[in-house]
Amino acid sequence: MAVPHGCSGSDTVGVNVTAPTSLKGLVVVPQQVQNWTLNVVYQDASNKTVTSFSWTGGYLAHDGRQEFGVQITAPNVDLSQQSNVTLLFPTVQTCLNGTSNWTSDPNAPGYNASVQKPAPELVITNQVETSAPVSSGALPSIGQLSVPAMATLMLMAAAAAL
């Protein structure tokens, strides 16, 4: 995941992500980031299913960029009755002065792009492709990634607007 800016000119001091739990067998492993403290919350004492994770205690200037690595292993998904499975990763960016809530489902009825910010998403399909070209030095957004139904990938991207 990449955070390319602060909140309305304010510096970023935290990133909190809710992992999707709707897909059984999904493995989410957030990575340590230098100068940030990683906190991972699990569904139960088995420490297998991540429900949320956050990076705090760091500092990212409002005009800076920081990458937050997340490794995701997707299980076999039955796509015989649907063309894809979309997983949302609602994210709250905490800044010195306020927060930005990247938590909305852009496919939900009533979604209003002018006032709501889309949650980063991972779309699992049967096709391996990138749906949008990526310019040199740029990272694809989670929404731009298509992965096979069973894959392990290192996501170094977030919502395009994040």
Side-chain angles (χ1 to χ4, degrees):
M1 302 181 88
V3 176
H5 57 72
C7 311
S8 302
S10 182
D11 303 330
T12 300
V13 294
V15 176
N16 302 290
V17 182
T18 301
T21 56
S22 59
L23 183 60
K24 190 166 182 74
L26 182 73
V27 178
V28 177
V29 183
Q31 307 297 300
Q32 294 286 343
V33 177
Q34 186 175 0
N35 299 320
W36 292 81
T37 300
L38 174 62
N39 181 46
V40 180
V41 177
Y42 296 93
Q43 186 173 22
D44 55 38
S46 71
N47 289 348
K48 290 184 179 180
T49 304
V50 173
T51 58
S52 65
F53 50 96
S54 62
W55 292 275
T56 59
Y59 179 84
L60 176 61
H62 71 278
D63 59 350
R65 177 183 180 87
Q66 178 67 55
E67 296 174 357
F68 298 90
V70 181
Q71 182 178 358
I72 298 175
T73 303
N76 283 325
V77 177
D78 180 5
L79 295 176
S80 62
Q81 303 297 314
Q82 55 191 353
S83 61
N84 65 60
V85 172
T86 300
L87 303 172
L88 297 178
F89 290 79
T91 302
V92 176
Q93 179 183 8
T94 303
C95 296
L96 291 173
N97 296 313
T99 60
S100 287
N101 296 315
W102 303 91
T103 56
S104 299
D105 180 352
N107 299 311
Y111 174 75
N112 183 341
S114 64
V115 292
Q116 296 173 302
K117 296 177 179 135
E121 63 182 24
L122 175 67
V123 178
I124 300 173
T125 71
N126 278 328
Q127 302 166 342
V128 178
E129 62 182 66
T130 299
S131 61
V134 179
S135 62
S136 176
L139 296 171
S141 73
I142 287 177
Q144 293 173 325
L145 296 176
S146 294
V147 298
M150 185 171 144
T152 300
L153 48 132
M154 186 69 160
L155 292 181
M156 298 296 290
L162 183 62

